[in-house]
Amino acid sequence: MKKNILLIFLCFFSILLNINAQDSIKKKVVTSFNGGMMLHVGYVAGTIGEAGYKAAGCPFGIGGVIRLRFGKHFMLGSEGYVSTLKQGHNGSYIKYGWGGVLGEFYWEFKHVAPYFGLTVGGGANTVFLLRSGSAKDWLSENNAIFHKRGFFAVVPFAGCDFIVTKAFHLTLKADLMNCFSKGKLLMPYGPRFYFGFVFNH
């Protein structure tokens, strides 16, 4: 996984060099940087084959992003989030903790700045399913599943910043996280929608 992330980073860096080669030599390579936090919700669904369980619902999570701005239309950085889908009203959950390297193209206008990009990275998927019993007692449960595994992630995204001031933006974003473990796409699967703030410097 580390080799794949390094390879993607080198590809983004090559693109970056080509973009900045067109700029004046007098201009800075890194023109600014920004970072912020975002909350997200969404809808995911799919069958976890190994457990014979059909999951569906709205995940909720939090995370953040930090980016360096190169030239006028390209940013390179990283982001990371925790996303939890609760199931069964009994303490069951499916959780994704992940992060990665992102490359992003954006266009800044008077009050808005649309963007799109790709994040490549990885993380851990945790599944806890309480088939019977209660999460409110202190008794041992005999019918539960707990499983944790790593994954490789490819996440396309698109969004828009709303420029409140030069230093402070609100942002809306949608992504589609594709998580692969042993060559298999992990379920459940679906879009997530993000809302947050970004500080620019």
Side-chain angles (χ1 to χ4, degrees), residues 27 60 89 98 164 174 196:
K27 291 184 179 180
F60 178 79
H89 306 288
W98 66 280
V164 180

Side-chain angles (χ1 to χ4, degrees), residues 43-158:
Y43 183 79
V44 296
T47 299
I48 303 173
E50 297 87 345
Y53 180 79
K54 187 174 182 179
C58 297
F60 178 79
I62 189 171
V65 62
I66 185 167
R67 297 167 293 203
L68 298 176
R69 186 173 294 184
F70 298 89
K72 293 183 178 180
H73 303 293
F74 185 74
M75 287 191 284
L76 184 68
S78 65
E79 62 179 346
Y81 301 92
V82 174
S83 185
T84 303
L85 174 65
K86 294 184 178 180
Q87 294 286 279
H89 306 288
N90 63 357
S92 298
Y93 63 86
I94 300 166
K95 181 183 294 185
Y96 290 87
W98 66 280
V101 176
L102 68 83
E104 178 180 314
F105 292 93
Y106 73 102
W107 294 264
E108 189 170 312
F109 300 101
K110 187 174 181 181
H111 297 295
V112 296
Y115 59 85
F116 73 92
L118 182 72
T119 298
V120 178
N125 167 236
T126 304
V127 177
F128 174 69
L129 301 174
L130 185 59
R131 298 287 197 173
S132 63
S134 173
K136 297 180 180 180
D137 58 37
W138 290 92
L139 301 176
S140 298
E141 307 295 352
N142 296 318
N143 192 7
I145 294 174
F146 181 82
H147 188 266
K148 189 172 184 178
R149 57 186 163 186
F151 61 80
F152 174 72
V154 179
V155 190
F157 61 84

